Amino acid sequence: MNTFYATNLLIYAGVDIIALLALNLQFGVSGIVNFSFIVFQSAGAYAAAVLSMPPDSNPDYSFQVYFGGFQLPFPLPWVGGALVGGLLAIPIGFVALRKLRSDYQAIALLVTSIIANEVINNARPFLNGAAGLALVPKPLQDQLDTQADYYPYLLIGLTAACVALVWFISARIVNSPYGRSLRAMRENELAATALGKNPVAMKMTIFVVGGTIAGLSGAILVGYLGVWAPSTWQYPETIILFAALIVGGRGNNLGAILGALLVPVGLEEVTRLMIRMNLGPPNLIPALEWVVIGLCILGFLWFRPEGVRPERRRVFEGSPDVELVESVRAT
Amino acid sequence: MSIFAAAFGFGLVSMSVIALAAVGFTMQFGITNMINLAYGQVMIASAYVAYYLNRAGVTIWAGMIAGAVFGAVFSFLLNRLVYAPFQRKNTSLLGMVIVSLAISLMIANVLLPIVGYFSVSYQEHGGSLVRIGDIVLTNNQIVIIVLSVAIMLGIHALLRYTRLGKAMRATAANPTLARNCGIPTQRVIDMVWLITGALCGVAGVVAALNSDSFAIANGAGFLITALAAAVVGGAGQPYGAMIGAVVIGLVTELSAAAWSPEYKEVVAFALLVLVMVLRPQGLLAKRGALAAAG
């Protein structure tokens, strides 16, 4: 295993963990089926790209057309990516989350994802259309030698720091009284409303928080890859993340992290291995990968809806026996 | 002025295609409470069934019947083998949406190695041109319009005048009560999947015939337009879906004439957002699910 391969694996793992922690806050904890998750990740990536790239009048960049090009120094593109992800969540949440029934919300978000991709794909002057952005500067490219031996470790370290930060924030949210309100809303929105919680405000807040984290994950990824195009963020990418969360275990951070390691990282590695082994026609293995992802979703929802690592049922001291509660729920 | 008249003609064709797709989609939702996001992929699969028959020398109209049969059988099996078992397990509405999206992904990727990425088109001449004022349509397009109107009238007659239609409306309104009144809801639901599946198959072939070429990637677009028409009219209501189809068909074609054809789906989406913000229950919602018109 060489350094490049290990770096690739670790950075993807980090980005997927960050994304899944965000999706867990939205889907796992609050019950918002955010089928446009990848749009927020992508908004962060595009924002980080145009914040760090020189203007498109620069001769090295003149083969692409995009707005902005601010050449900001390192931490700012990542911060900007996160901010744009969060800001984008406001209008989308305003349309999708206010009045609609929960299954309509999911559909509205799915349609948003498909259409957003189509618009960016067709509107070239905005973000270079279908060709996408290339030569996005790596973090600290001007200050350090990106070819040096230590650089991959620096990138891994920065990603790991972000994972730790996001994990800390989302653990605080999940375990706080606010997290309890979110779970109450997920389990029974009407009951939560009757107890004085405002579900629209809670959904909007968590949508923006999740959007911000998703934006950060996109910014990290584009800093590593150096390219970003509409073909990398089509709506099925969101389904991989949902599959990961369903497999890992909804509603708890460890389940989300486990899901990130099992599905996007693990499955991708297995596929890569199988492509190397040259099994079957060229289209077959990548297509089969998607079929396996679909089967994972169906299989887990059928046999083990709570995932590999189920959410801990939180019970107060002095509350009725857990098994009693379970038996009442079952009837 | 003539460009808008021509666009109006295309609008008539487009609304016929959309109506076929949207009515099936909305009936599945209204009667079986299932938002079937795999609908667009079943449309594409049916279009390919017709394509392979057409390539083997069968006319496209016979291919369309084969597509309808494929759509009906496939949708029936999909419900029997996947959706109904999950519904019996009391999977939440959101869980069902996720299940259907997973199915959609699986259909697309089982098809992909078979049919490939590339666009294909039917070997069928559009027929001679027919002029009505400034509106110019091909013979095929006239056939599509007539077919769609006939099927819409058929759906209307089915829901309004037959025992099966009455049973469908009762099942949509309250399945438990319908069962207690002696309606065999299981069989009604099977019939719904067969009928809507056939509609889905016809819609797929017609949509493919109406566009110059089609590819596996069009499934999402098919789904979006059907969805937009269904939601604009009020999800779950066949008459709403017909009105939605008229609105979406006309507006998208007129906007394509006035602006750019690349953004047809975006315009449909804008309409969808507008309706979701201003009138989330859809245009026809006051009538109640599946109430007959008039």
Side-chain angles (χ1 to χ4, degrees), chain B residues 101-137:
Chain B
L101 195 56
I103 292 284
S104 159
L105 201 63
M106 286 162 73
I107 297 175
N109 284 289
V110 168
L111 270 183
L112 190 58
I114 305 172
V115 302
Y117 285 102
F118 302 107
S119 295
V120 295
S121 47
Y122 294 137
Q123 294 163 338
E124 179 75 21
H125 294 293
S128 54
L129 292 179
V130 179
R131 286 172 192 277
I132 310 157
D134 281 338
I135 301 174
V136 183
L137 295 173

PDB file of all heavy atoms in Angstrom, chain B residues 101-137:
ATOM      1  N   LEU B 101     -36.973   4.733  -4.169  1.00  0.00           N
ATOM      2  CA  LEU B 101     -35.794   5.355  -4.788  1.00  0.00           C
ATOM      3  C   LEU B 101     -34.701   4.305  -4.986  1.00  0.00           C
ATOM      4  O   LEU B 101     -34.019   4.283  -6.022  1.00  0.00           O
ATOM      5  CB  LEU B 101     -35.292   6.506  -3.916  1.00  0.00           C
ATOM      6  CG  LEU B 101     -34.320   7.466  -4.572  1.00  0.00           C
ATOM      7  CD1 LEU B 101     -34.901   8.053  -5.829  1.00  0.00           C
ATOM      8  CD2 LEU B 101     -33.943   8.581  -3.629  1.00  0.00           C
ATOM      9  N   ALA B 102     -34.559   3.416  -4.002  1.00  0.00           N
ATOM     10  CA  ALA B 102     -33.571   2.341  -4.130  1.00  0.00           C
ATOM     11  C   ALA B 102     -33.929   1.447  -5.317  1.00  0.00           C
ATOM     12  O   ALA B 102     -33.059   1.055  -6.101  1.00  0.00           O
ATOM     13  CB  ALA B 102     -33.499   1.523  -2.846  1.00  0.00           C
ATOM     14  N   ILE B 103     -35.225   1.146  -5.470  1.00  0.00           N
ATOM     15  CA  ILE B 103     -35.671   0.319  -6.592  1.00  0.00           C
ATOM     16  C   ILE B 103     -35.360   1.018  -7.912  1.00  0.00           C
ATOM     17  O   ILE B 103     -34.882   0.407  -8.864  1.00  0.00           O
ATOM     18  CB  ILE B 103     -37.193   0.062  -6.490  1.00  0.00           C
ATOM     19  CG1 ILE B 103     -37.496  -0.842  -5.292  1.00  0.00           C
ATOM     20  CG2 ILE B 103     -37.728  -0.547  -7.773  1.00  0.00           C
ATOM     21  CD1 ILE B 103     -37.163  -2.280  -5.517  1.00  0.00           C
ATOM     22  N   SER B 104     -35.624   2.329  -7.954  1.00  0.00           N
ATOM     23  CA  SER B 104     -35.372   3.105  -9.159  1.00  0.00           C
ATOM     24  C   SER B 104     -33.912   2.987  -9.577  1.00  0.00           C
ATOM     25  O   SER B 104     -33.584   2.735 -10.743  1.00  0.00           O
ATOM     26  CB  SER B 104     -35.757   4.561  -8.877  1.00  0.00           C
ATOM     27  OG  SER B 104     -35.139   5.426  -9.751  1.00  0.00           O
ATOM     28  N   LEU B 105     -33.037   3.151  -8.603  1.00  0.00           N
ATOM     29  CA  LEU B 105     -31.601   3.047  -8.847  1.00  0.00           C
ATOM     30  C   LEU B 105     -31.237   1.663  -9.368  1.00  0.00           C
ATOM     31  O   LEU B 105     -30.417   1.510 -10.278  1.00  0.00           O
ATOM     32  CB  LEU B 105     -30.901   3.284  -7.513  1.00  0.00           C
ATOM     33  CG  LEU B 105     -29.463   3.702  -7.530  1.00  0.00           C
ATOM     34  CD1 LEU B 105     -29.356   5.025  -8.218  1.00  0.00           C
ATOM     35  CD2 LEU B 105     -28.945   3.782  -6.122  1.00  0.00           C
ATOM     36  N   MET B 106     -31.862   0.638  -8.785  1.00  0.00           N
ATOM     37  CA  MET B 106     -31.531  -0.730  -9.166  1.00  0.00           C
ATOM     38  C   MET B 106     -32.007  -1.025 -10.595  1.00  0.00           C
ATOM     39  O   MET B 106     -31.280  -1.639 -11.378  1.00  0.00           O
ATOM     40  CB  MET B 106     -32.144  -1.718  -8.181  1.00  0.00           C
ATOM     41  CG  MET B 106     -31.399  -1.724  -6.860  1.00  0.00           C
ATOM     42  SD  MET B 106     -32.340  -2.454  -5.529  1.00  0.00           S
ATOM     43  CE  MET B 106     -32.278  -4.160  -5.947  1.00  0.00           C
ATOM     44  N   ILE B 107     -33.223  -0.560 -10.941  1.00  0.00           N
ATOM     45  CA  ILE B 107     -33.707  -0.801 -12.312  1.00  0.00           C
ATOM     46  C   ILE B 107     -32.755  -0.159 -13.309  1.00  0.00           C
ATOM     47  O   ILE B 107     -32.321  -0.782 -14.278  1.00  0.00           O
ATOM     48  CB  ILE B 107     -35.127  -0.216 -12.501  1.00  0.00           C
ATOM     49  CG1 ILE B 107     -36.121  -0.906 -11.572  1.00  0.00           C
ATOM     50  CG2 ILE B 107     -35.579  -0.383 -13.952  1.00  0.00           C
ATOM     51  CD1 ILE B 107     -37.504  -0.304 -11.621  1.00  0.00           C
ATOM     52  N   ALA B 108     -32.397   1.124 -13.031  1.00  0.00           N
ATOM     53  CA  ALA B 108     -31.519   1.835 -13.968  1.00  0.00           C
ATOM     54  C   ALA B 108     -30.209   1.092 -14.156  1.00  0.00           C
ATOM     55  O   ALA B 108     -29.699   0.989 -15.274  1.00  0.00           O
ATOM     56  CB  ALA B 108     -31.265   3.253 -13.459  1.00  0.00           C
ATOM     57  N   ASN B 109     -29.678   0.547 -13.077  1.00  0.00           N
ATOM     58  CA  ASN B 109     -28.350  -0.051 -13.193  1.00  0.00           C
ATOM     59  C   ASN B 109     -28.371  -1.502 -13.618  1.00  0.00           C
ATOM     60  O   ASN B 109     -27.335  -2.043 -14.002  1.00  0.00           O
ATOM     61  CB  ASN B 109     -27.583   0.131 -11.890  1.00  0.00           C
ATOM     62  CG  ASN B 109     -27.094   1.542 -11.775  1.00  0.00           C
ATOM     63  OD1 ASN B 109     -26.199   1.948 -12.486  1.00  0.00           O
ATOM     64  ND2 ASN B 109     -27.741   2.323 -10.929  1.00  0.00           N
ATOM     65  N   VAL B 110     -29.529  -2.157 -13.539  1.00  0.00           N
ATOM     66  CA  VAL B 110     -29.636  -3.472 -14.171  1.00  0.00           C
ATOM     67  C   VAL B 110     -29.772  -3.270 -15.683  1.00  0.00           C
ATOM     68  O   VAL B 110     -29.205  -4.019 -16.475  1.00  0.00           O
ATOM     69  CB  VAL B 110     -30.842  -4.255 -13.607  1.00  0.00           C
ATOM     70  CG1 VAL B 110     -31.131  -5.468 -14.451  1.00  0.00           C
ATOM     71  CG2 VAL B 110     -30.557  -4.676 -12.173  1.00  0.00           C
ATOM     72  N   LEU B 111     -30.491  -2.210 -16.077  1.00  0.00           N
ATOM     73  CA  LEU B 111     -30.669  -1.916 -17.503  1.00  0.00           C
ATOM     74  C   LEU B 111     -29.363  -1.486 -18.166  1.00  0.00           C
ATOM     75  O   LEU B 111     -29.088  -1.861 -19.300  1.00  0.00           O
ATOM     76  CB  LEU B 111     -31.678  -0.782 -17.682  1.00  0.00           C
ATOM     77  CG  LEU B 111     -33.143  -1.111 -17.820  1.00  0.00           C
ATOM     78  CD1 LEU B 111     -33.919   0.170 -18.049  1.00  0.00           C
ATOM     79  CD2 LEU B 111     -33.358  -2.052 -18.993  1.00  0.00           C
ATOM     80  N   LEU B 112     -28.573  -0.708 -17.434  1.00  0.00           N
ATOM     81  CA  LEU B 112     -27.404  -0.059 -18.030  1.00  0.00           C
ATOM     82  C   LEU B 112     -26.460  -1.020 -18.761  1.00  0.00           C
ATOM     83  O   LEU B 112     -26.117  -0.767 -19.924  1.00  0.00           O
ATOM     84  CB  LEU B 112     -26.665   0.723 -16.943  1.00  0.00           C
ATOM     85  CG  LEU B 112     -25.566   1.648 -17.413  1.00  0.00           C
ATOM     86  CD1 LEU B 112     -26.111   2.657 -18.385  1.00  0.00           C
ATOM     87  CD2 LEU B 112     -24.940   2.357 -16.232  1.00  0.00           C
ATOM     88  N   PRO B 113     -26.033  -2.130 -18.135  1.00  0.00           N
ATOM     89  CA  PRO B 113     -25.147  -3.030 -18.882  1.00  0.00           C
ATOM     90  C   PRO B 113     -25.825  -3.632 -20.111  1.00  0.00           C
ATOM     91  O   PRO B 113     -25.153  -4.015 -21.063  1.00  0.00           O
ATOM     92  CB  PRO B 113     -24.811  -4.132 -17.877  1.00  0.00           C
ATOM     93  CG  PRO B 113     -25.170  -3.591 -16.563  1.00  0.00           C
ATOM     94  CD  PRO B 113     -26.265  -2.605 -16.781  1.00  0.00           C
ATOM     95  N   ILE B 114     -27.164  -3.722 -20.095  1.00  0.00           N
ATOM     96  CA  ILE B 114     -27.871  -4.328 -21.229  1.00  0.00           C
ATOM     97  C   ILE B 114     -27.987  -3.339 -22.383  1.00  0.00           C
ATOM     98  O   ILE B 114     -27.701  -3.678 -23.530  1.00  0.00           O
ATOM     99  CB  ILE B 114     -29.291  -4.789 -20.799  1.00  0.00           C
ATOM    100  CG1 ILE B 114     -29.194  -5.731 -19.599  1.00  0.00           C
ATOM    101  CG2 ILE B 114     -30.014  -5.466 -21.961  1.00  0.00           C
ATOM    102  CD1 ILE B 114     -30.529  -6.080 -18.990  1.00  0.00           C
ATOM    103  N   VAL B 115     -28.417  -2.102 -22.080  1.00  0.00           N
ATOM    104  CA  VAL B 115     -28.726  -1.162 -23.165  1.00  0.00           C
ATOM    105  C   VAL B 115     -27.608  -0.164 -23.439  1.00  0.00           C
ATOM    106  O   VAL B 115     -27.590   0.463 -24.494  1.00  0.00           O
ATOM    107  CB  VAL B 115     -30.035  -0.383 -22.883  1.00  0.00           C
ATOM    108  CG1 VAL B 115     -31.173  -1.343 -22.692  1.00  0.00           C
ATOM    109  CG2 VAL B 115     -29.891   0.522 -21.687  1.00  0.00           C
ATOM    110  N   GLY B 116     -26.672   0.010 -22.484  1.00  0.00           N
ATOM    111  CA  GLY B 116     -25.565   0.939 -22.700  1.00  0.00           C
ATOM    112  C   GLY B 116     -25.960   2.385 -22.453  1.00  0.00           C
ATOM    113  O   GLY B 116     -27.124   2.704 -22.239  1.00  0.00           O
ATOM    114  N   TYR B 117     -24.937   3.270 -22.494  1.00  0.00           N
ATOM    115  CA  TYR B 117     -25.163   4.682 -22.175  1.00  0.00           C
ATOM    116  C   TYR B 117     -25.772   5.457 -23.335  1.00  0.00           C
ATOM    117  O   TYR B 117     -26.336   6.512 -23.167  1.00  0.00           O
ATOM    118  CB  TYR B 117     -23.831   5.361 -21.855  1.00  0.00           C
ATOM    119  CG  TYR B 117     -23.267   5.036 -20.507  1.00  0.00           C
ATOM    120  CD1 TYR B 117     -22.229   4.125 -20.356  1.00  0.00           C
ATOM    121  CD2 TYR B 117     -23.760   5.671 -19.360  1.00  0.00           C
ATOM    122  CE1 TYR B 117     -21.701   3.837 -19.114  1.00  0.00           C
ATOM    123  CE2 TYR B 117     -23.235   5.381 -18.123  1.00  0.00           C
ATOM    124  CZ  TYR B 117     -22.206   4.465 -17.994  1.00  0.00           C
ATOM    125  OH  TYR B 117     -21.699   4.191 -16.778  1.00  0.00           O
ATOM    126  N   PHE B 118     -25.589   4.911 -24.568  1.00  0.00           N
ATOM    127  CA  PHE B 118     -25.840   5.766 -25.720  1.00  0.00           C
ATOM    128  C   PHE B 118     -27.318   5.970 -26.011  1.00  0.00           C
ATOM    129  O   PHE B 118     -28.142   5.130 -25.694  1.00  0.00           O
ATOM    130  CB  PHE B 118     -25.132   5.188 -26.941  1.00  0.00           C
ATOM    131  CG  PHE B 118     -23.675   5.058 -26.725  1.00  0.00           C
ATOM    132  CD1 PHE B 118     -23.089   3.821 -26.536  1.00  0.00           C
ATOM    133  CD2 PHE B 118     -22.880   6.199 -26.650  1.00  0.00           C
ATOM    134  CE1 PHE B 118     -21.723   3.720 -26.295  1.00  0.00           C
ATOM    135  CE2 PHE B 118     -21.518   6.099 -26.413  1.00  0.00           C
ATOM    136  CZ  PHE B 118     -20.939   4.855 -26.232  1.00  0.00           C
ATOM    137  N   SER B 119     -27.615   7.102 -26.667  1.00  0.00           N
ATOM    138  CA  SER B 119     -28.989   7.395 -27.045  1.00  0.00           C
ATOM    139  C   SER B 119     -29.394   6.516 -28.214  1.00  0.00           C
ATOM    140  O   SER B 119     -28.580   6.229 -29.088  1.00  0.00           O
ATOM    141  CB  SER B 119     -29.123   8.856 -27.474  1.00  0.00           C
ATOM    142  OG  SER B 119     -28.863   9.687 -26.385  1.00  0.00           O
ATOM    143  N   VAL B 120     -30.648   6.093 -28.216  1.00  0.00           N
ATOM    144  CA  VAL B 120     -31.163   5.335 -29.353  1.00  0.00           C
ATOM    145  C   VAL B 120     -32.453   6.011 -29.813  1.00  0.00           C
ATOM    146  O   VAL B 120     -32.995   6.864 -29.115  1.00  0.00           O
ATOM    147  CB  VAL B 120     -31.471   3.870 -28.971  1.00  0.00           C
ATOM    148  CG1 VAL B 120     -30.195   3.140 -28.605  1.00  0.00           C
ATOM    149  CG2 VAL B 120     -32.463   3.806 -27.826  1.00  0.00           C
ATOM    150  N   SER B 121     -32.929   5.658 -30.997  1.00  0.00           N
ATOM    151  CA  SER B 121     -34.220   6.187 -31.422  1.00  0.00           C
ATOM    152  C   SER B 121     -34.965   5.122 -32.217  1.00  0.00           C
ATOM    153  O   SER B 121     -34.357   4.192 -32.751  1.00  0.00           O
ATOM    154  CB  SER B 121     -34.049   7.462 -32.250  1.00  0.00           C
ATOM    155  OG  SER B 121     -33.054   7.254 -33.215  1.00  0.00           O
ATOM    156  N   TYR B 122     -36.274   5.257 -32.253  1.00  0.00           N
ATOM    157  CA  TYR B 122     -37.108   4.298 -32.971  1.00  0.00           C
ATOM    158  C   TYR B 122     -36.936   4.481 -34.469  1.00  0.00           C
ATOM    159  O   TYR B 122     -36.740   5.594 -34.951  1.00  0.00           O
ATOM    160  CB  TYR B 122     -38.585   4.488 -32.618  1.00  0.00           C
ATOM    161  CG  TYR B 122     -38.898   4.173 -31.186  1.00  0.00           C
ATOM    162  CD1 TYR B 122     -39.742   4.993 -30.447  1.00  0.00           C
ATOM    163  CD2 TYR B 122     -38.379   3.041 -30.576  1.00  0.00           C
ATOM    164  CE1 TYR B 122     -40.047   4.702 -29.131  1.00  0.00           C
ATOM    165  CE2 TYR B 122     -38.675   2.745 -29.262  1.00  0.00           C
ATOM    166  CZ  TYR B 122     -39.501   3.573 -28.542  1.00  0.00           C
ATOM    167  OH  TYR B 122     -39.793   3.278 -27.256  1.00  0.00           O
ATOM    168  N   GLN B 123     -37.043   3.354 -35.218  1.00  0.00           N
ATOM    169  CA  GLN B 123     -37.009   3.449 -36.674  1.00  0.00           C
ATOM    170  C   GLN B 123     -38.431   3.657 -37.151  1.00  0.00           C
ATOM    171  O   GLN B 123     -39.129   2.710 -37.482  1.00  0.00           O
ATOM    172  CB  GLN B 123     -36.449   2.154 -37.275  1.00  0.00           C
ATOM    173  CG  GLN B 123     -34.986   1.941 -36.911  1.00  0.00           C
ATOM    174  CD  GLN B 123     -34.556   0.525 -37.145  1.00  0.00           C
ATOM    175  OE1 GLN B 123     -35.383  -0.378 -37.183  1.00  0.00           O
ATOM    176  NE2 GLN B 123     -33.266   0.333 -37.304  1.00  0.00           N
ATOM    177  N   GLU B 124     -38.852   4.885 -37.122  1.00  0.00           N
ATOM    178  CA  GLU B 124     -40.251   5.155 -37.431  1.00  0.00           C
ATOM    179  C   GLU B 124     -40.297   6.548 -38.032  1.00  0.00           C
ATOM    180  O   GLU B 124     -39.812   7.492 -37.432  1.00  0.00           O
ATOM    181  CB  GLU B 124     -41.076   5.109 -36.133  1.00  0.00           C
ATOM    182  CG  GLU B 124     -42.546   5.386 -36.309  1.00  0.00           C
ATOM    183  CD  GLU B 124     -43.273   4.209 -36.928  1.00  0.00           C
ATOM    184  OE1 GLU B 124     -42.760   3.077 -36.847  1.00  0.00           O
ATOM    185  OE2 GLU B 124     -44.336   4.429 -37.499  1.00  0.00           O
ATOM    186  N   HIS B 125     -40.852   6.667 -39.224  1.00  0.00           N
ATOM    187  CA  HIS B 125     -40.970   7.991 -39.795  1.00  0.00           C
ATOM    188  C   HIS B 125     -42.107   8.725 -39.114  1.00  0.00           C
ATOM    189  O   HIS B 125     -43.106   8.126 -38.734  1.00  0.00           O
ATOM    190  CB  HIS B 125     -41.208   7.905 -41.298  1.00  0.00           C
ATOM    191  CG  HIS B 125     -40.026   7.334 -42.007  1.00  0.00           C
ATOM    192  ND1 HIS B 125     -38.822   7.998 -42.073  1.00  0.00           N
ATOM    193  CD2 HIS B 125     -39.855   6.154 -42.638  1.00  0.00           C
ATOM    194  CE1 HIS B 125     -37.957   7.244 -42.725  1.00  0.00           C
ATOM    195  NE2 HIS B 125     -38.556   6.120 -43.081  1.00  0.00           N
ATOM    196  N   GLY B 126     -41.936  10.020 -38.965  1.00  0.00           N
ATOM    197  CA  GLY B 126     -42.965  10.810 -38.309  1.00  0.00           C
ATOM    198  C   GLY B 126     -44.254  10.852 -39.110  1.00  0.00           C
ATOM    199  O   GLY B 126     -45.277  11.285 -38.614  1.00  0.00           O
ATOM    200  N   GLY B 127     -44.213  10.381 -40.353  1.00  0.00           N
ATOM    201  CA  GLY B 127     -45.404  10.462 -41.184  1.00  0.00           C
ATOM    202  C   GLY B 127     -45.491  11.830 -41.821  1.00  0.00           C
ATOM    203  O   GLY B 127     -44.633  12.688 -41.614  1.00  0.00           O
ATOM    204  N   SER B 128     -46.524  12.035 -42.635  1.00  0.00           N
ATOM    205  CA  SER B 128     -46.627  13.303 -43.342  1.00  0.00           C
ATOM    206  C   SER B 128     -47.031  14.421 -42.387  1.00  0.00           C
ATOM    207  O   SER B 128     -47.534  14.178 -41.295  1.00  0.00           O
ATOM    208  CB  SER B 128     -47.671  13.167 -44.451  1.00  0.00           C
ATOM    209  OG  SER B 128     -48.870  12.703 -43.889  1.00  0.00           O
ATOM    210  N   LEU B 129     -46.785  15.656 -42.827  1.00  0.00           N
ATOM    211  CA  LEU B 129     -47.092  16.801 -41.976  1.00  0.00           C
ATOM    212  C   LEU B 129     -48.554  17.205 -42.122  1.00  0.00           C
ATOM    213  O   LEU B 129     -49.138  17.105 -43.193  1.00  0.00           O
ATOM    214  CB  LEU B 129     -46.207  17.978 -42.368  1.00  0.00           C
ATOM    215  CG  LEU B 129     -44.723  17.801 -42.068  1.00  0.00           C
ATOM    216  CD1 LEU B 129     -43.948  19.030 -42.524  1.00  0.00           C
ATOM    217  CD2 LEU B 129     -44.514  17.558 -40.588  1.00  0.00           C
ATOM    218  N   VAL B 130     -49.124  17.630 -41.023  1.00  0.00           N
ATOM    219  CA  VAL B 130     -50.502  18.104 -41.038  1.00  0.00           C
ATOM    220  C   VAL B 130     -50.473  19.554 -40.583  1.00  0.00           C
ATOM    221  O   VAL B 130     -49.851  19.878 -39.574  1.00  0.00           O
ATOM    222  CB  VAL B 130     -51.373  17.266 -40.068  1.00  0.00           C
ATOM    223  CG1 VAL B 130     -52.797  17.775 -40.070  1.00  0.00           C
ATOM    224  CG2 VAL B 130     -51.306  15.799 -40.423  1.00  0.00           C
ATOM    225  N   ARG B 131     -51.109  20.431 -41.356  1.00  0.00           N
ATOM    226  CA  ARG B 131     -51.133  21.845 -40.982  1.00  0.00           C
ATOM    227  C   ARG B 131     -52.536  22.260 -40.572  1.00  0.00           C
ATOM    228  O   ARG B 131     -53.495  21.990 -41.261  1.00  0.00           O
ATOM    229  CB  ARG B 131     -50.710  22.720 -42.170  1.00  0.00           C
ATOM    230  CG  ARG B 131     -49.256  22.660 -42.459  1.00  0.00           C
ATOM    231  CD  ARG B 131     -48.939  23.372 -43.756  1.00  0.00           C
ATOM    232  NE  ARG B 131     -47.584  23.074 -44.153  1.00  0.00           N
ATOM    233  CZ  ARG B 131     -46.531  23.742 -43.659  1.00  0.00           C
ATOM    234  NH1 ARG B 131     -46.714  24.731 -42.819  1.00  0.00           N
ATOM    235  NH2 ARG B 131     -45.321  23.410 -44.030  1.00  0.00           N
ATOM    236  N   ILE B 132     -52.606  22.920 -39.390  1.00  0.00           N
ATOM    237  CA  ILE B 132     -53.871  23.523 -38.974  1.00  0.00           C
ATOM    238  C   ILE B 132     -53.518  24.966 -38.630  1.00  0.00           C
ATOM    239  O   ILE B 132     -52.976  25.233 -37.562  1.00  0.00           O
ATOM    240  CB  ILE B 132     -54.454  22.821 -37.731  1.00  0.00           C
ATOM    241  CG1 ILE B 132     -54.466  21.307 -37.950  1.00  0.00           C
ATOM    242  CG2 ILE B 132     -55.835  23.362 -37.397  1.00  0.00           C
ATOM    243  CD1 ILE B 132     -54.493  20.502 -36.679  1.00  0.00           C
ATOM    244  N   GLY B 133     -53.757  25.886 -39.564  1.00  0.00           N
ATOM    245  CA  GLY B 133     -53.321  27.262 -39.352  1.00  0.00           C
ATOM    246  C   GLY B 133     -51.804  27.291 -39.282  1.00  0.00           C
ATOM    247  O   GLY B 133     -51.126  26.744 -40.150  1.00  0.00           O
ATOM    248  N   ASP B 134     -51.259  27.886 -38.199  1.00  0.00           N
ATOM    249  CA  ASP B 134     -49.814  27.950 -38.036  1.00  0.00           C
ATOM    250  C   ASP B 134     -49.260  26.720 -37.344  1.00  0.00           C
ATOM    251  O   ASP B 134     -48.057  26.568 -37.192  1.00  0.00           O
ATOM    252  CB  ASP B 134     -49.445  29.196 -37.211  1.00  0.00           C
ATOM    253  CG  ASP B 134     -49.482  30.442 -38.078  1.00  0.00           C
ATOM    254  OD1 ASP B 134     -49.368  30.271 -39.304  1.00  0.00           O
ATOM    255  OD2 ASP B 134     -49.624  31.539 -37.526  1.00  0.00           O
ATOM    256  N   ILE B 135     -50.149  25.862 -36.879  1.00  0.00           N
ATOM    257  CA  ILE B 135     -49.695  24.685 -36.144  1.00  0.00           C
ATOM    258  C   ILE B 135     -49.336  23.588 -37.134  1.00  0.00           C
ATOM    259  O   ILE B 135     -50.147  23.234 -37.982  1.00  0.00           O
ATOM    260  CB  ILE B 135     -50.804  24.186 -35.194  1.00  0.00           C
ATOM    261  CG1 ILE B 135     -51.178  25.302 -34.225  1.00  0.00           C
ATOM    262  CG2 ILE B 135     -50.354  22.942 -34.464  1.00  0.00           C
ATOM    263  CD1 ILE B 135     -52.339  24.968 -33.340  1.00  0.00           C
ATOM    264  N   VAL B 136     -48.085  23.087 -37.015  1.00  0.00           N
ATOM    265  CA  VAL B 136     -47.650  22.013 -37.900  1.00  0.00           C
ATOM    266  C   VAL B 136     -47.306  20.802 -37.043  1.00  0.00           C
ATOM    267  O   VAL B 136     -46.475  20.893 -36.143  1.00  0.00           O
ATOM    268  CB  VAL B 136     -46.412  22.431 -38.698  1.00  0.00           C
ATOM    269  CG1 VAL B 136     -46.035  21.325 -39.670  1.00  0.00           C
ATOM    270  CG2 VAL B 136     -46.679  23.727 -39.425  1.00  0.00           C
ATOM    271  N   LEU B 137     -47.972  19.692 -37.312  1.00  0.00           N
ATOM    272  CA  LEU B 137     -47.698  18.483 -36.538  1.00  0.00           C
ATOM    273  C   LEU B 137     -47.492  17.313 -37.484  1.00  0.00           C
ATOM    274  O   LEU B 137     -48.014  17.303 -38.593  1.00  0.00           O
ATOM    275  CB  LEU B 137     -48.869  18.177 -35.599  1.00  0.00           C
ATOM    276  CG  LEU B 137     -49.143  19.203 -34.501  1.00  0.00           C
ATOM    277  CD1 LEU B 137     -50.412  18.849 -33.765  1.00  0.00           C
ATOM    278  CD2 LEU B 137     -47.981  19.287 -33.538  1.00  0.00           C
TER     279      LEU B 137
END
